[in-house]
Amino acid sequence: MTDTTAADAKLIAPRRRRRSATAKPLPLIALSVGFVALWVIAAAFPFLWTAWGSFKVEADFFSRQNWMNAVTGVQTLRQTGEAFTMDGYEGAWIEQEFWRAVINTAIVTFFVTTISLTFGTLGGYALARSGFRYTFWILIMALIFRAMPHVTLVSGYLLPFFELGIWGYLPTTIIVLVAINQPFTLWMLHSFFLSIPKDLDESAMVDGCTRFQAFRLAVIPVMWPGVITTGLFSFLLAYNDFTVTSMLLTAENQTMVPKINSFLGSTQAEGKVMYAVAAVVSAIAPLFVLIMFFQRQIVSGLTAGAVKG
Amino acid sequence: MARLQLKNVNKRWGSYVAVKDFDLDIADQEFLVLLGPSGCGKSTTMRMIAGLEDVTSGEIVLGGRNVNNLEPKDRDISMVFQSYGLYPNLSVYENIRFPLRVRKVPKEQHHEMVMTAIRMVELEPFMDRRPADLSGGQRQRVALGRAIVRKPTVFLMDEPLSNLDAKLRVSTRAQIKNLQSKLKTTTVYVTHDQIEAMTLADRVVVMNKGEIQQVGTPTEIYDNPANTFVASFIGSPAMNLVEGRIEGGTFTGDGITVEGLKAPSGPVTLGFRAEDASIVPSGGQIAAPVYAVELLGEASMITWRLGEQLVSVKTAKDYRAETGQMVEASVPAAICHLFDAETGKALPR
Amino acid sequence: MPHRTFSLFILPSLLAMLLFVALPIGSVIYQSLFIEHEQIMVEVENCGPFGCTTERRVDAEAMAQLRAEEPAGRWNGLGTYFNAGHLAFERIGQIWDRTETWGQFLDQAMNLPFYKALGFTLAYTFIVTPFVIILGFCIALGVNALPNLAKGPVIFFSLLPMIVTPLIGSLVLFWMIDSRGIIGATLQTIFGDPTLSLKASPTLTWVTLFVYGVWHSAPFAFVVFYAGLQGVPKDTMESAMVDGASRREQVRFVVIPYLMPLVVFIALMQLMDNFRVFEPIVGFSAEANATSLSYLIYSDLRGQDTPLFASAAATSVLTTLGVIVLLTPVLIRTWRDFNRKA
Ligand SMILES: Nc1ncnc2c1ncn2[C@@H]1O[C@H](COP(=O)(O)OP(=O)(O)O)[C@@H](O)[C@H]1O
Ligand SMILES: [Mg+2]
């Protein structure tokens, strides 16, 4: 009996094949696939187009005659002798010293991420484990701080920072970004630590640890998924910031985003808009890689807040 | 090994009272079980003993020393948690060794102590596995092993069996009982399962809504429940409770009349156990149409509906009756318990 | 956790927030009550071959000294709040007297810089947010129906508009809608109007910014909804099927109610983020046709030779009030939930 069932199933299956209860009607599938395809094009095409165009000359990317020129690269071929050119990148990275901005961005993002996470794990852990009422108020306060437009905060810093003589330096910007990032980090890590059973650190304490030892020995080894996810968002905040970095940094300390913005003023006039295009593509590339490697964490991080309500 | 006293312990969160006037003296080597429905404050009591919660008022005295202000690590206790609290990044061996490491027990002694504990909980074949690669029962035993590896003065166990399936629960229960009788360590054990409480305990503390209802040996609690709450919580099925009145030594309720009771007249609650009463052909104290007949395997259970309450009696497994059929049961005065109708307290027999 | 341990753990984080978020709010309020010093003039005599002329000039030395003594400027009370650059009550009054209909009144009032920015900010916040939710929901439903193999790449590309820096994202689109860019040129061809430019008219600029906003934030709503869809209770879904619900009814009676809390979450996040809209205005160089509250502050601090601290501060305070009004329903709800639990 059992021997024949597999064979039977094979025989019977084709004849019995009918739409299962969960299969969707064809038009609905077509509609949803079409819709998603449209969205994917809308989401991805601008970046691919710009990345492609960054290897052309301005006359192609901003063609007066026909946008097809950007694909074929007529002018690029005429002006440089090749279908692709690195002129934009050379101009941005070397002539306009974009590399400085890249280094500054690296410094800022590295420190903002590590400091944010250090402060945030300690605070988030305490908030998740303390049963007292004030934790609620701290979280609410953080929520209000999270909603503050950054530029209003910057308008509060500017004058005091001038007075104290700390305006324009990277460390000032780093600590400001850490602070602006704290509300979010606290919320994320707070809800992440809530998901770690408190039995874990409590057994460590009964086993003979102080609270801090329990944190170090029992909690830190299991907290990395949450920390990595939160870290990604801290990184993005620092990397993407324009408001703080454009107002608190001197021209030579500028990070990539404000640097690109300052290109616009100077280069557009000189017909060197391709420098800006190249710089923009240079700034997007690391994000592209980031999503490629951490897609799952980004998705789970975006949802973490929602699941907790 | 030590005596553990709780003196008038209270725990409040804001205006919510989780534990109220908890007074208990636990003897050295005793196996004490805290029993009560979920949410009644058992875990809270245990966590206060462990030092994981502060007491709002009162005193916890361990081995003659007030430990109210000691950190958990300084109380020399060990605890098994409901979800075990194993360190997922450490192997079974390292999990059990953890308390020795953080308590700075000399390194040379570790191996022997850990191996003794591992043998006691029968985990030798799984020593190098991570908790994630163990079954529920094995994880539970790792938690036990970690609790016994250093000889603490008190064991605390918070519903250690509740995450196991029914069969495993029975065998692990026996193992815990066996361990405790070998180690002779004072043990406080929390459960909401009255069978677990009855089988394990030297003494049972029945709690409800943060208050102690009764303290006594399992037999005492089963035979002489102090109030209707205990009566209805202990035993399976729980004690039958019928509301009614006593006039001149005769109890009358819906469908039930019991004579020869020694109690002053007035409203009371009458209680008796299903296994103490019996079905009779005629002349029984209960005479009413049957509400349900259930086959339990080793016995049958006949249920009547008397007023608002369901009342059950156990009888021979081959007894048969139809729903709605008139059946009588004998409930002699000798098996009856009487409780004050208002306070629910047991009246002297 | 005892208070002492708690405070040690939370201290760095709390200190950072108090120093660099709470204190600046205080600083902004303080600054908004002062105004830049008046120029100190001196008469300078210039004697040349053709006699002497006297010239009035700013006394730079005296000004510097004054600034050093009172960096915030001189006391102005609430003056800055009421001036023409902000609430402009006087002007509003005049416009009220001058205009006949509501339409005219709003029209003229919206030309005042603060109200213009407020109008755009509110429009952006309340138009983009619902569209983000709807588009995100549709994408989530669509992606959920795809075969598993396709889901990964689709999610990957979907994340791009959100992850990429807002300023850079808007620049990318800005170049494409340029009349020489691919979208701008195509639109000109479609409408047969070689002068058509999305940058020229205020309405088109607003629409462009809204579209950008939806494009930028839809991935967020999509991801949240998509994760929510994975968690729709199978039992309820299956009992709805057994009960004979059509596909539409399943979505309506099972999926949407289940996702409702997520809608609230996304709406809250989006209201907060959209209210501070700023980078796209810079990226699209749209300041001539659309300014937001955040942009006003930025241009006060950045646009002039010397930053207009008082003006920026007053706008900041007003913006903060706006944030608080926006958050009030949330705070009230949280407060009620909290009290019910306690
Ligand atoms: N940190 C806390 N804050 C407020 N109430 C709590 C806290 N911990 C437990 N409680 C409440 O105290 C009561 C007793 O809880 P617990 O001791 O865990 O019950 P159980 O007997 O099931 O172990 C429950 O109603 C619970 O909701
Ligand atoms: Mg419990």
Side-chain angles (χ1 to χ4, degrees):
Chain A
M1 177 69 193
T2 40
D3 292 345
T4 54
T5 40
D8 284 352
K10 235 182 237 163
L11 282 176
I12 293 166
R15 257 179 289 148
R16 283 239 192 112
R17 193 194 288 155
R18 59 177 186 92
R19 270 221 322 267
S20 83
T22 48
K24 299 199 162 127
L26 205 59
L28 195 66
I29 295 182
L31 187 77
S32 74
V33 169
F35 180 74
V36 170
L38 266 182
W39 159 252
V40 169
I41 292 171
F45 177 71
F47 298 109
L48 302 178
W49 175 257
T50 308
W52 173 270
S54 68
F55 295 100
K56 306 286 174 187
V57 295
E58 185 177 347
D60 276 333
F61 189 56
F62 293 98
S63 171
R64 274 177 218 287
Q65 291 115 29
N66 187 348
W67 59 260
M68 269 306 285
N69 283 1
V71 180
T72 52
V74 190
Q75 301 293 335
T76 313
L77 210 54
R78 187 173 309 154
Q79 285 180 23
T80 66
E82 301 196 36
F84 296 96
T85 170
M86 295 292 286
D87 284 357
Y89 290 90
E90 254 177 61
W93 281 75
I94 298 163
E95 194 192 313
Q96 300 284 336
E97 302 200 317
F98 190 62
W99 58 269
R100 261 184 219 284
V102 173
I103 292 175
N104 288 332
T105 297
I107 296 173
V108 169
T109 48
F110 174 78
F111 284 104
V112 170
T113 311
T114 37
I115 301 176
S116 287
L117 287 178
T118 314
F119 287 10
T121 35
L122 291 172
Y125 174 72
L127 288 173
R129 290 297 189 258
S130 165
F132 289 105
R133 233 166 206 256
Y134 47 67
T135 56
F136 170 80
W137 292 111
I138 292 178
L139 285 169
I140 284 295
M141 189 183 75
L143 181 71
I144 298 175
F145 287 171
R146 159 83 173 67
M148 288 298 296
H150 299 168
V151 73
T152 62
L153 299 178
V154 172
S155 127
Y157 304 135
L158 224 45
L159 189 57
F161 284 3
F162 280 144
E163 291 302 312
L164 294 171
I166 54 174
W167 180 86
Y169 301 107
L170 289 179
T172 315
T173 303
I174 288 170
I175 190 68
V176 163
L177 284 173
V178 166
I180 288 183
N181 198 11
Q182 271 309 294
F184 168 79
T185 316
L186 271 187
W187 268 92
M188 277 285 275
L189 288 168
H190 161 251
S191 58
F192 175 73
F193 281 122
L194 283 181
S195 73
I196 296 182
K198 69 177 184 194
D199 283 7
L200 187 68
D201 24 330
E202 289 185 343
S203 35
M205 282 165 51
V206 172
D207 284 346
C209 294
T210 60
R211 179 57 88 165
F212 190 76
Q213 276 177 319
F215 177 67
R216 196 163 57 85
L217 297 173
V219 177
I220 288 187
V222 299
M223 73 177 186
W224 294 111
V227 168
I228 288 174
T229 305
T230 316
L232 279 173
F233 286 89
S234 302
F235 170 86
L236 285 175
L237 176 122
Y239 190 90
N240 286 346
D241 178 83
F242 170 66
T243 320
V244 174
T245 46
S246 74
M247 302 240 246
L248 290 189
L249 287 174
T250 55
E252 58 275 18
N253 281 342
Q254 262 174 356
T255 51
M256 287 196 277
V257 183
K259 179 82 173 177
I260 289 171
N261 185 49
S262 60
F263 273 11
L264 293 179
S266 59
T267 55
Q268 217 133 14
E270 302 161 24
K272 289 177 181 164
V273 67
M274 290 321 285
Y275 292 6
V277 177
V280 157
V281 174
S282 312
I284 294 176
L287 295 173
F288 206 82
V289 176
L290 186 86
I291 308 180
M292 212 129 72
F293 282 102
F294 294 105
Q295 178 172 332
R296 223 166 43 92
Q297 283 83 351
I298 293 174
V299 169
S300 76
L302 286 175
T303 357
V307 178
K308 295 288 161 197
Chain B
M1 262 149 257
R3 172 176 174 206
L4 172 63
Q5 293 158 283
L6 286 93
K7 298 184 179 168
N8 221 358
V9 170
N10 281 280
K11 177 71 192 180
R12 280 191 296 275
W13 276 290
S15 58
Y16 180 79
V17 182
V19 175
K20 194 174 167 200
D21 299 335
F22 200 99
D23 230 336
L24 190 65
D25 197 332
I26 304 167
D28 187 19
Q29 307 193 3
E30 182 170 2
F31 197 121
L32 184 106
V33 174
L34 290 181
L35 173 67
S38 113
C40 74
K42 307 175 302 279
S43 297
T44 308
T45 310
M46 168 160 284
R47 293 164 55 80
M48 286 191 291
I49 298 173
L52 295 168
E53 302 281 0
D54 288 329
V55 299
T56 309
S57 69
E59 249 187 288
I60 295 176
V61 178
L62 182 56
R65 189 168 61 133
N66 180 323
V67 295
N68 273 18
N69 294 320
L70 287 188
E71 300 262 324
K73 71 184 174 77
D74 300 324
R75 296 193 183 192
D76 198 19
I77 41 167
S78 65
M79 184 159 171
V80 177
F81 290 81
Q82 190 170 352
S83 59
Y84 315 142
L86 302 181
Y87 311 116
N89 52 315
L90 301 182
S91 67
V92 168
Y93 183 92
E94 287 299 327
N95 257 286
I96 293 179
R97 186 176 148 220
F98 187 85
L100 306 178
R101 256 172 59 199
V102 292
R103 283 184 191 270
K104 310 254 168 354
V105 173
K107 272 223 168 68
E108 316 78 72
Q109 302 171 19
H110 286 193
H111 187 68
E112 202 193 315
M113 291 171 85
V114 173
M115 287 317 292
T116 314
I118 284 186
R119 259 177 240 124
M120 275 183 142
V121 293
E122 297 163 22
L123 278 174
E124 286 139 299
F126 312 106
M127 243 162 46
D128 299 321
R129 291 208 196 163
R130 295 277 171 101
D133 304 326
L134 297 177
S135 71
Q138 290 161 348
R139 282 181 213 173
Q140 208 281 333
R141 299 212 300 272
V142 179
L144 269 181
R146 195 177 56 184
I148 60 176
V149 66
R150 65 191 171 86
K151 314 272 176 287
T153 49
V154 177
F155 279 149
L156 304 176
M157 305 194 190
D158 191 351
E159 314 220 5
L161 304 183
S162 64
N163 285 342
L164 302 182
D165 62 46
K167 221 170 147 190
L168 206 52
R169 214 177 291 169
V170 174
S171 60
T172 316
R173 197 169 75 197
Q175 197 174 16
I176 289 179
K177 182 79 183 169
N178 175 274
L179 269 179
Q180 203 265 344
S181 58
K182 269 195 230 153
L183 295 167
K184 300 202 185 323
T185 308
T186 315
T187 303
V188 181
Y189 184 105
V190 160
T191 180
H192 63 264
D193 178 348
Q194 48 114 4
I195 297 181
E196 234 168 84
M198 300 307 241
T199 47
L200 286 173
D202 293 332
R203 266 195 314 160
V204 178
V205 176
V206 184
M207 287 182 74
N208 188 30
K209 297 193 176 136
E211 285 188 273
I212 296 186
Q213 303 294 316
Q214 188 172 6
V215 183
T217 62
T219 331
E220 276 167 19
I221 286 184
Y222 185 83
D223 290 341
N224 291 310
N227 55 35
T228 45
F229 174 79
V230 179
S232 63
F233 196 74
I234 304 288
S236 64
M239 189 178 273
N240 295 306
L241 294 173
V242 192
E243 282 167 21
R245 284 188 70 81
I246 287 196
E247 296 291 349
T250 301
F251 174 88
T252 324
D254 272 324
I256 178 169
T257 311
V258 182
E259 291 167 359
L261 292 161
K262 287 187 231 92
S265 303
V268 292
T269 303
L270 176 125
F272 64 92
R273 294 210 176 266
E275 51 270 38
D276 294 341
S278 55
I279 302 291
V280 289
S282 64
Q285 280 76 5
I286 296 177
V290 169
Y291 182 75
V293 180
E294 293 160 271
L295 304 183
L296 302 179
E298 85 281 4
S300 292
M301 194 146 73
I302 315 297
T303 304
W304 294 265
R305 195 184 164 106
L306 304 182
E308 292 294 303
Q309 297 115 1
L310 294 181
V311 166
S312 306
V313 166
K314 270 191 187 168
T315 185
K317 61 181 174 194
D318 49 6
Y319 184 84
R320 292 286 177 274
E322 297 294 319
T323 306
Q325 184 185 332
M326 206 61 180
V327 172
E328 301 197 6
S330 142
V331 185
I335 66 163
C336 291
H337 302 255
L338 291 176
F339 302 95
D340 190 293
E342 255 166 58
T343 62
K345 285 219 171 73
L347 299 174
R349 293 239 247 178
Chain C
M1 194 186 273
H3 301 301
R4 219 179 63 87
T5 323
F6 178 80
S7 48
L8 284 179
F9 270 91
I10 196 94
L11 192 70
S13 175
L14 206 58
L15 209 61
M17 286 198 293
L18 290 180
L19 277 181
F20 293 100
V21 184
L23 209 58
I25 299 177
S27 150
V28 157
I29 295 174
Y30 178 81
Q31 286 181 53
S32 72
L33 302 176
F34 292 82
I35 192 158
E36 285 73 22
H37 291 289
E38 267 177 290
Q39 311 255 307
I40 305 169
M41 297 305 209
V42 282
E43 308 231 324
V44 191
E45 226 168 59
N46 270 340
C47 287
F50 309 104
C52 293
T53 54
T54 52
E55 193 187 354
R56 285 171 61 81
R57 253 206 231 143
V58 179
D59 183 346
E61 206 175 299
M63 282 297 290
Q65 197 189 347
L66 195 56
R67 284 219 189 94
E69 280 164 10
E70 295 173 357
R74 65 204 153 83
W75 174 255
N76 190 31
L78 293 177
T80 312
Y81 289 94
F82 300 136
N83 72 13
H86 297 88
L87 293 175
F89 285 150
E90 212 172 301
R91 298 282 292 280
I92 290 278
Q94 290 166 2
I95 296 173
W96 181 252
D97 289 340
R98 210 167 50 217
T99 53
E100 321 258 278
T101 63
W102 272 100
Q104 275 181 327
F105 171 71
L106 285 180
D107 217 41
Q108 297 200 17
M110 278 302 166
N111 276 330
L112 299 171
F114 178 80
Y115 292 99
K116 194 172 151 192
L118 181 66
F120 176 77
T121 308
L122 289 178
Y124 186 87
T125 308
F126 288 101
I127 291 174
V128 168
T129 306
F131 275 105
V132 162
I133 292 175
I134 294 167
L135 181 62
F137 181 70
C138 295
I139 302 172
L141 279 185
V143 172
N144 203 33
L146 290 181
N148 280 332
L149 215 61
K151 283 177 180 170
V154 168
I155 295 176
F156 173 80
F157 287 115
S158 298
L159 286 174
L160 279 171
M162 173 186 57
I163 299 290
V164 168
T165 321
L167 182 82
I168 290 182
S170 41
L171 272 178
V172 165
L173 292 194
F174 179 66
W175 287 327
M176 290 173 78
I177 63 164
D178 188 280
S179 54
R180 296 169 299 155
I182 174 165
I183 297 178
T186 311
L187 285 178
Q188 287 179 355
T189 325
I190 291 176
F191 292 101
D193 175 3
T195 59
L196 179 75
S197 162
L198 290 176
K199 301 171 194 170
S201 94
T203 321
L204 285 181
T205 310
W206 281 39
V207 171
T208 311
L209 287 171
F210 293 163
V211 169
Y212 164 79
V214 175
W215 178 77
H216 172 66
S217 301
F220 170 65
F222 151 60
V223 167
V224 173
F225 281 132
Y226 177 74
L229 283 176
Q230 314 309 309
V232 171
K234 252 202 141 106
D235 294 351
T236 321
M237 199 70 181
E238 283 171 356
S239 55
M241 280 183 206
V242 172
D243 290 343
S246 71
R247 197 166 300 283
R248 261 221 352 260
E249 286 164 335
Q250 285 167 26
V251 170
R252 190 160 157 235
F253 293 109
V254 182
V255 176
I256 292 187
Y258 180 77
L259 295 183
M260 222 42 213
L262 300 188
V263 173
V264 175
F265 167 75
I266 298 171
L268 170 67
M269 289 299 173
Q270 282 298 299
L271 289 180
M272 288 201 278
D273 288 349
N274 291 338
F275 193 73
R276 56 180 167 221
V277 52
F278 161 53
E279 277 114 324
I281 298 179
V282 179
F284 281 99
S285 314
E287 58 273 13
N289 295 324
T291 54
S292 69
L293 293 175
S294 288
Y295 188 85
L296 275 193
I297 302 170
Y298 174 79
S299 74
D300 273 344
L301 294 174
R302 256 305 156 94
Q304 278 69 23
D305 300 334
T306 50
L308 302 175
F309 290 120
S311 173
T315 315
S316 295
V317 172
L318 294 171
T319 311
T320 309
L321 291 179
V323 169
I324 290 172
V325 169
L326 213 61
L327 275 183
T328 309
V330 184
L331 295 181
I332 290 176
R333 218 187 80 163
T334 323
W335 169 242
R336 273 210 213 109
D337 283 357
F338 179 69
N339 273 340
R340 207 176 311 132
K341 250 187 282 170

